[in-house]
Amino acid sequence: MNMAGKIRISVVIVLLTILVILTALTVLPRHAAAQSNSCTEAIGGCNYEFTTNGVTPSFVSAFALITNTMTVQTYSGGSPGWVTLQYNPDVNMVCSNLGSTGNWVQGAIEYYVASGYPGGPSSTGYLYFTVWVFYPCTSPPEELWVNPPPYGPSEPIPWPLASNAQWYIAYEVSNGLISEVCEEVEIPIAYEVYDTLYTCISIPSQYTNRWYRSNVVWAGVSLLYPNETLVRGFVNFNPGGSGEFQFCSNVNLYQGPLANNTLEGSNVIYTQMYNQGTTCNMYQDFQT
């Protein structure tokens, strides 16, 4: 039976799942806040930003297509078992630009491996669609808001980084401010049938901000210890995985500077961006 036909959202099951994970780890998984834009090569948490060259868009999206299955070798530093696709605004622009509210709105798709550790085609786990809002302009950054449960489907799903899988994050902008983040994952299952999981998350007006040039990265999840020590999460993928980021907007997109706007990272290598100056044809490749 197609999984899409039987997926049901259960707040109780999701909350119990999160509780079990937290209990097992004895520390608190937390999505990393922003860090300063300083990096020298497009790898891990450092990638080229995509930009509209100052033009306000009404939507901007990043689409990840997996061409060769990505499997995890090890997790280190942060919370084990988590793989994320993060869409990160430029933290320096958030903190310094005229008209900024100072809030850092970050969309992220997060997957926790529940079986088949550390992660690969035989794995199953739980998918979470999230938006996090930080005030990153002080140290340490302050977490202001995260969308409440349900985050995603309550039942385990297959490994979502298999060949032909698709991950998608889109920012909707209304009256110059981010109004909504939509996230989607499409997973290939048996006999070339695909299961599509999708949600849109509205951003409360008091937590929103303008859209700023951003990057997307594959990464892990950090750990927040009871003493407020934050440990950076890192995912080390096996060689041979690859794919492509495709970028789309209602206005022309361009490659911006290298930026490391998240504490987390991976060993994924990114290329430069191709077809700059187009609305929906700019792309870049990545590989493990």
Side-chain angles (χ1 to χ4, degrees), residues 61-235:
S61 65
F63 173 85
L65 173 64
I66 310 299
T67 52
N68 292 297
T69 298
M70 299 167 65
T71 59
V72 174
Q73 185 177 80
T74 57
Y75 302 92
S76 62
S79 181
W82 291 90
V83 176
T84 67
L85 179 67
Q86 303 183 15
Y87 185 132
N88 304 310
D90 185 298
V91 65
N92 287 345
M93 298 187 75
V94 167
C95 290
S96 63
N97 267 25
L98 184 66
S100 173
T101 65
N103 294 343
W104 191 72
V105 182
Q106 181 205 45
I109 300 173
E110 308 174 11
Y111 181 79
Y112 175 74
V113 181
S115 67
Y117 185 89
S122 62
S123 300
T124 61
Y126 295 91
L127 190 71
Y128 301 90
F129 296 118
T130 61
V131 174
W132 300 76
V133 179
F134 290 92
Y135 182 73
C137 309
T138 58
S139 183
E142 178 185 358
E143 182 182 307
L144 299 176
W145 182 83
V146 60
N147 62 292
Y151 295 101
S154 59
E155 298 179 0
I157 63 172
W159 180 243
L161 289 169
S163 178
N164 295 318
Q166 302 173 17
W167 296 46
Y168 175 83
I169 303 177
Y171 280 51
E172 301 289 337
V173 179
S174 178
N175 297 321
L177 298 173
I178 299 168
S179 59
E180 187 175 60
V181 178
C182 293
E183 302 175 354
E184 177 180 338
V185 172
E186 187 173 282
I187 306 167
I189 54 179
Y191 308 110
E192 297 186 353
V193 175
Y194 287 80
D195 183 42
T196 301
L197 311 170
Y198 177 83
T199 193
C200 285
I201 301 163
S202 296
I203 310 302
S205 59
Q206 66 268 36
Y207 298 121
T208 191
N209 201 347
R210 298 164 57 190
W211 185 88
Y212 293 104
R213 68 188 188 210
S214 306
N215 63 19
V216 289
V217 296
W218 295 105
V221 167
S222 293
L223 285 179
L224 179 65
Y225 286 85
N227 64 358
E228 295 298 309
T229 298
L230 187 64
V231 180
R232 176 177 179 263
F234 188 90
V235 177

Side-chain angles (χ1 to χ4, degrees), residues 5 12 20 28 33 49 51 57 78 82 98 101 115 125 140 153 239 243:
V12 174
V20 169
L28 301 177
E49 296 179 326
T51 177
W82 291 90
L98 184 66
T101 65
S115 67

